[in-house]
Amino acid sequence: MSSPNAPEKGREKDAAPGSNFIRQIVEEDLRQGKNQGKVHTRFPPEPNGYMHIGHAKSVCLNFGLAEDYKGVYNLRFDDTNPTRESVEFVESMQQDIRWLGFDWEDRLYFASDYFEQLYEMAVELIKRGLAYVDSLSAAEMREYRGTLTEPGRNSPDRDRSVEENLDLFARMRAGEFPDGAYVLRAKIDMASPNINMRDPVMYRIMHVHHHRVGDTWKIYPSYDWTHGQSDAIEKITHSLCTVEFEDHRPLYNWFVEQIGFEHKPRQIEFAPLGLNYTVLSKRRLRELVETGRVSGWDDPRMPTISGMRRRGYTPAAIRNFCERIGVAKANSTVDMGMLEHAVREDLNKVAQRRMAVLDPLKVVITNYPEGQVEELEAVNNPEDENAGSRTVPFSRELYIERNDFMEDAPKKYFRLAPGREVRFKFAYYITCNEVVKDADGNVVELRCTYDPATRGGWSEDGRRVKGTIHWVSAQHAERGTVLLYDRLFTEPIPGRGGRDFKEDLNPESVVVNDAALLEPSLTQAAPGELFQFERIGYFCADKDTNAAKPLFNRTVTLRDTWAKTGGKH
Ligand code: ATP
Ligand code: MG
């Protein structure tokens, strides 16, 4: 391990293991006795899609921080924009967060619960001359806003009287005006170097049905207006958000200050997770779903939590990954290989081993008695002695993986070849004597002999073989379907250079193999059950698997095959 003082790659400088700049801020606040020594965080998703791995980072950070400092955390839906929000998303997000292992107990909130309170606060600001109703169109507002180098100009409505503002705002709420006719703006400073402070919009007229409040509201509060107030109402101590909100912090503080909250939450920004070979944005993920490029939000190729769950990723793997990537201020992209590594690491510990042959080649053991079947003991997981063992049937006709045989094998080839002996895992030493071909010259069968003195796969005379291969018994194996998933995109940064990100979709992101031959017990796999198919990879029983039609998703290969082809580590 590196010394605690050595800067870790990709992390904020001098971060000791497990520490980060946010924890340092929290610890300093605790030392100074701020917030009566409490830590209270929240995760504030907008229910406009399914959660992705970037949101998992935010959940682990927000909730993990509260757990570590014996604080509490809220789940709050930021449901202020009803056009793309729905109950389906609210429910899936809760399911995903629970699955990740977090429990917000009774602290489930919705920004829409505060709509009345927010409205009253806005009226207060109007009365104090700190907000006004503006009739500029969206295009005019953009023009009046100015640029990074030029100050904005005051709207002609900026000096509307308090009475008139109150009247118009009440009528906006009552639904008297069409969408876009007016907005309510905070009156701050049109010349501020920070564009967010140039009289930001607090309310828009939207005649839209809301999944919780129905048709009660005809105006909806903006993110900026809602977020800080919600944090202050809930007495959040540390409000963590991604760096694009850094420039919004002065506005966040301005609102909380003007409303006069005694409790002032502290906004702290961190870099969002970027992951290569995928896209992390609900908008883009929605596009993939809506254009049918994937089967749904829980397609096992999606970087959503529901997709990863179906693919066979475990909560522990995702949490370990989130811990390992750390927290910093500077944007960076994490290699997909790191996530896959965390998945392999956990599955290696928890997944039971089974044998399955994906591309079968027949083997006949000519000196094995016809009709005889032996049940051989097979270890379920060499990494976990509590996992025990099972038996697998062995008989005269077997199948092995086609690529475990080579007719003209080089010296260093340790699998099956004419005249060579290998170990059939858990079974016997087996020698290949004869290769049977069809009329086209394709190898269709191998005729072999076994050494009865090597039962279990070990020779008593100390004779060694270099190769071990897996197999299934022809008469006992069950046919099944395996979906061989790969990365969703072929490019590390899909859509780079302005092309449509969908052009970079990997045409081979799923390969369907319905001729796999499975060890019999695999027909009994429960949906979601995880396995290592010996020498092939990790697989997860799909939600649609059943005894008549076993169906498995490849979670991840045994080794990182992308490292050679482009993924860097
Ligand atoms: P998206 O662009 O995917 O819709 P978002 O920021 O609009 O993301 P929200 O539902 O508003 O989605 O996000 C909820 C919380 O998750 C916010 O605090 C946000 O900062 C955080 N978050 C979103 N994306 C990431 C990411 N890639 N890495 C870390 N945190 C993220
Ligand atoms: Mg958002």
Side-chain angles (χ1 to χ4, degrees):
M1 268 194 66
S2 59
S3 100
N5 296 326
E8 274 184 80
K9 243 198 184 152
R11 300 255 184 114
E12 202 76 346
K13 66 176 162 48
D14 292 348
S19 176
N20 59 54
F21 78 100
I22 296 181
R23 300 174 71 103
Q24 286 164 12
I25 292 173
V26 169
E27 282 169 21
E28 184 56 31
D29 284 352
L30 289 175
R31 245 192 311 277
Q32 292 182 12
K34 284 193 190 157
N35 309 308
Q36 292 95 45
K38 291 198 195 104
V39 174
H40 196 154
T41 59
R42 88 290 172 257
F43 175 63
E46 183 181 2
N48 61 350
Y50 278 63
M51 270 177 59
H52 56 60
I53 182 81
H55 297 116
K57 171 178 175 173
S58 182
V59 169
C60 290
L61 184 59
N62 276 294
F63 292 1
L65 197 71
E67 283 178 351
D68 289 352
Y69 294 97
K70 308 216 176 342
V72 287
Y73 49 84
N74 298 357
L75 171 60
R76 183 204 315 140
F77 286 98
D78 174 29
D79 54 348
T80 52
N81 184 355
T83 48
R84 286 193 170 273
E85 296 168 3
S86 76
V87 175
E88 177 196 349
F89 298 143
V90 169
E91 286 172 356
S92 75
M93 286 178 158
Q94 295 188 53
Q95 185 191 3
D96 289 349
I97 299 169
R98 277 209 194 88
W99 179 76
L100 282 173
F102 294 101
D103 181 2
W104 54 89
E105 298 173 336
D106 57 352
R107 294 176 304 276
L108 170 64
Y109 301 99
F110 292 83
S112 55
D113 294 343
Y114 309 134
F115 280 178
E116 190 62 47
Q117 228 172 322
L118 287 166
Y119 179 84
E120 297 301 332
M121 291 185 225
V123 167
E124 261 317 295
L125 290 187
I126 295 176
K127 287 183 181 160
R128 286 164 47 206
L130 293 172
Y132 62 98
V133 174
D134 199 352
S135 62
L136 288 186
S137 68
E140 287 167 329
M141 265 184 60
R142 220 171 300 127
E143 197 215 312
Y144 274 73
R145 193 185 299 132
T147 63
L148 284 173
T149 49
E150 281 168 46
R153 283 176 292 139
N154 288 352
S155 161
D157 289 348
R158 201 174 197 264
D159 297 319
R160 206 192 281 284
S161 72
V162 168
E163 289 65 37
E164 207 181 331
N165 279 323
L166 288 172
D167 174 62
L168 283 172
F169 190 47
R171 290 165 63 197
M172 282 167 66
R173 174 180 182 166
E176 279 189 32
F177 309 115
D179 290 7
Y182 293 103
V183 291
L184 184 76
R185 301 177 71 174
K187 194 191 267 192
I188 308 181
D189 178 8
M190 287 307 291
S192 170
N194 182 340
I195 293 186
N196 293 299
M197 300 298 274
R198 294 183 189 169
D199 294 9
V201 170
M202 295 169 64
Y203 279 93
R204 287 190 176 80
I205 300 173
M206 285 167 83
H207 293 263
V208 180
H209 185 82
H210 185 285
H211 57 101
R212 275 178 69 82
V213 302
D215 298 304
T216 346
W217 289 88
K218 313 295 178 198
I219 52 174
Y220 286 95
S222 64
Y223 169 87
D224 282 319
W225 168 236
T226 311
H227 200 76
Q229 285 29 260
S230 304
D231 283 345
I233 290 167
E234 293 173 17
K235 295 203 163 46
I236 298 304
T237 57
H238 300 86
S239 174
L240 314 185
C241 63
T242 36
V243 283
E244 68 269 28
F245 293 105
E246 187 163 16
D247 292 343
H248 295 239
R249 188 172 0 118
L251 179 56
Y252 180 103
N253 292 339
W254 188 89
F255 279 135
V256 170
E257 185 69 39
Q258 296 306 326
I259 298 302
F261 282 105
E262 208 169 301
H263 174 84
K264 294 189 176 50
R266 174 168 184 180
Q267 176 179 308
I268 305 167
E269 308 85 17
F270 65 93
L273 169 65
L275 196 58
N276 63 11
Y277 297 101
T278 192
V279 291
L280 297 185
S281 127
K282 290 195 225 103
R283 187 179 55 75
R284 282 177 159 190
L285 296 174
R286 171 196 293 271
E287 204 177 322
L288 294 177
V289 173
E290 286 177 352
T291 58
R293 306 301 174 105
V294 294
S295 63
W297 288 95
D298 70 343
D299 186 302
R301 293 167 294 178
M302 291 278 270
T304 52
I305 303 305
S306 53
M308 292 181 174
R309 177 167 56 233
R310 191 167 171 196
R311 173 101 170 232
Y313 286 23
T314 59
I318 294 174
R319 289 177 70 155
N320 287 342
F321 168 74
C322 290
E323 176 67 30
R324 246 169 245 168
I325 55 176
V327 188
K329 274 250 167 199
N331 278 316
S332 67
T333 302
V334 174
D335 190 82
M336 182 62 97
M338 225 176 127
L339 175 58
E340 292 166 345
H341 176 77
V343 172
R344 275 186 202 104
E345 199 177 47
D346 191 45
L347 292 185
N348 184 41
K349 286 185 279 182
V350 304
Q352 292 213 353
R353 277 51 169 170
R354 292 290 183 273
M355 292 200 284
V357 173
L358 301 195
D359 184 12
L361 173 62
K362 192 169 181 183
V363 169
V364 177
I365 313 290
T366 53
N367 62 339
Y368 195 86
E370 299 232 17
Q372 178 171 312
V373 177
E374 280 177 90
E375 290 291 338
L376 299 172
E377 188 175 4
V379 171
N380 282 331
N381 186 348
E383 303 290 322
D384 175 7
E385 51 191 44
N386 297 323
S389 62
R390 66 193 186 284
T391 59
V392 286
F394 183 87
S395 64
R396 192 166 189 271
E397 295 195 357
L398 310 167
Y399 283 102
I400 62 166
E401 214 66 67
R402 187 164 284 277
N403 68 7
D404 279 337
F405 170 78
M406 207 170 172
E407 199 171 7
D408 298 306
K411 233 175 152 356
K412 292 264 177 183
Y413 186 80
F414 299 126
R415 290 170 274 167
L416 208 53
R420 299 208 194 159
E421 186 174 50
V422 298
R423 174 188 296 113
F424 275 33
K425 191 150 193 170
F426 309 124
Y428 293 98
Y429 282 15
I430 293 192
T431 305
C432 175
N433 305 305
E434 190 189 337
V435 181
V436 183
K437 295 183 182 177
D438 65 11
D440 298 328
N442 301 310
V443 176
V444 292
E445 185 180 307
L446 303 178
R447 299 187 73 81
C448 305
T449 47
Y450 83 119
D451 177 355
T454 56
R455 195 172 195 267
W458 305 102
S459 161
E460 280 175 20
D461 66 10
R463 178 170 101 250
R464 295 214 189 151
V465 289
K466 281 236 168 87
T468 300
I469 66 176
H470 63 277
W471 51 274
V472 292
S473 162
Q475 101 189 61
H476 302 94
E478 300 279 355
R479 233 180 131 112
T481 302
V482 291
L483 300 172
L484 302 173
Y485 291 107
D486 202 343
R487 293 178 182 176
L488 188 50
F489 293 90
T490 52
E491 290 298 314
I493 302 178
R496 178 160 46 186
R499 51 173 193 276
D500 182 350
F501 76 102
K502 299 196 292 309
E503 284 175 28
D504 294 332
L505 279 163
N506 178 3
E508 283 164 17
S509 58
V510 59
V511 172
V512 180
N513 175 348
D514 49 22
L517 293 176
L518 312 172
E519 177 184 323
S521 67
L522 284 170
T523 58
Q524 304 308 314
E529 215 176 328
L530 299 162
F531 300 98
Q532 182 194 100
F533 289 178
E534 299 265 10
R535 302 180 58 239
I536 296 180
Y538 292 100
F539 287 78
C540 175
D542 190 72
K543 63 178 184 186
D544 293 331
T545 195
N546 60 60
K549 212 177 168 303
L551 180 61
F552 290 88
N553 297 312
R554 183 170 68 197
T555 310
V556 66
T557 51
L558 286 184
R559 272 169 287 280
D560 184 356
T561 49
W562 282 73
K564 287 185 237 123
T565 56
K568 7 180 226 313
H569 287 271

